[in-house]
Amino acid sequence: MKVTILKIVAVASIMLTLLLCPFSLFIKNADAQPSAITIFPDGTVDASSGIQKDGNTYTLTTDLKLPIEVQKDGITLNGANHTLQGPDIDSGLAGITLKASNVVVTNFNINRWSAGIYGAYNNNTITANKFTDNDRAIALYATNYVISKNIIQTSTSGIYIKDVFTPTGDTNLIINNQISNNFWAFNIIDSNGTTITQNDVMDNDVILTLGSRSGVAGYHLIYLNNFVNNQQALHVHLPGPFVSGLPTIFPAGNWDNGKMGNYWHDYTTRYSNVSEISNSGIGDTAYLIESEPIPWSHGNGDEGIAILGKGVDHYPLISDYSIATLPDNNSPNSSNLPIEYVAAVILAVALLITVLITIIY
């Protein structure tokens, strides 16, 4: 009887050790980790990378601290609510670099990269991710992106778009995101044709920054957004030293679609005599938007002149616009257990069955 009890205790100890020890000791050598993870054009990915392939879906099985580069078209990269942790916002590294088209990136928590997602190729979707403490949460140098249902917060630039002037416009769509506590919510440099709609934009220093080397701000359609407690609506700038007498850029952004504009939290206090037009939800007084022509600097060599830019919301909303609830991409998901955990549990159960058979027979 004592021998049997000792065997059972030994089995329990082995199981506890298997469950508590680092799983990589049993599954893979941690020293074999690559310095970056690449999904190659043929669809291959390092088996030890922490990304599991199932057809054209690539799913994280654990939190990662390595950059990911996507070179294969037409895939879904699913973070499965895991964290992609960067080393520092000044590292010059992007958490995810898209060098492919028709890619969907979803369900990531992306923290502390110079660029959370770097879009270098056209026609991709970035949806249902959470970005925190990045320099540029999303940085696009491409066109035809859909950016939706993301939470973007505490970054220098929430969404950064640069140098994608095209004859027909870049047609990037930014819809149904929550963008809060960033310096710039939207920072668009020498680009044209972005649509920004149905976003909650709150507690940012500046809603929209337009940078222009040509003196043309580009056409950007901005409507049905909720703008709450932002310090400044518009910032238009040129690189270089301060020069007086530069021409005004107008319009600097199109702040309504010809029928409906945006909700501004200070609208009815700024224009105290506003009345609603025929129960339409729209005020009868336009909301004027203007940037100041002053020098600016952020202390990191990034400096120049903010020139005078103007915009008008002709159809401002009396009440905030009802936006669909964003998904909670931080909720635990028991279906996405790391493969190392699953393997360790299976190994422990198999060992238990083997020892019990030995005891019985």
Side-chain angles (χ1 to χ4, degrees), residues 45-80:
V45 62
D46 189 335
S48 66
S49 65
I51 297 179
Q52 183 176 349
K53 180 180 183 296
D54 182 9
N56 282 327
T57 299
Y58 294 72
T59 304
L60 262 66
T61 58
T62 186
D63 294 345
L64 292 175
K65 295 183 178 181
L66 298 173
I68 301 171
E69 183 171 299
V70 178
Q71 299 179 1
K72 178 174 173 55
D73 294 337
I75 71 168
T76 295
L77 181 60
N78 186 352

Side-chain angles (χ1 to χ4, degrees), residues 3-5 7-8 11 352 354-361:
V3 173
T4 300
I5 292 174
K7 287 183 177 180
I8 293 173
V11 170
L352 174 61
T354 303
V355 174
L356 288 176
I357 291 174
T358 303
I359 293 172
I360 293 171
Y361 295 102

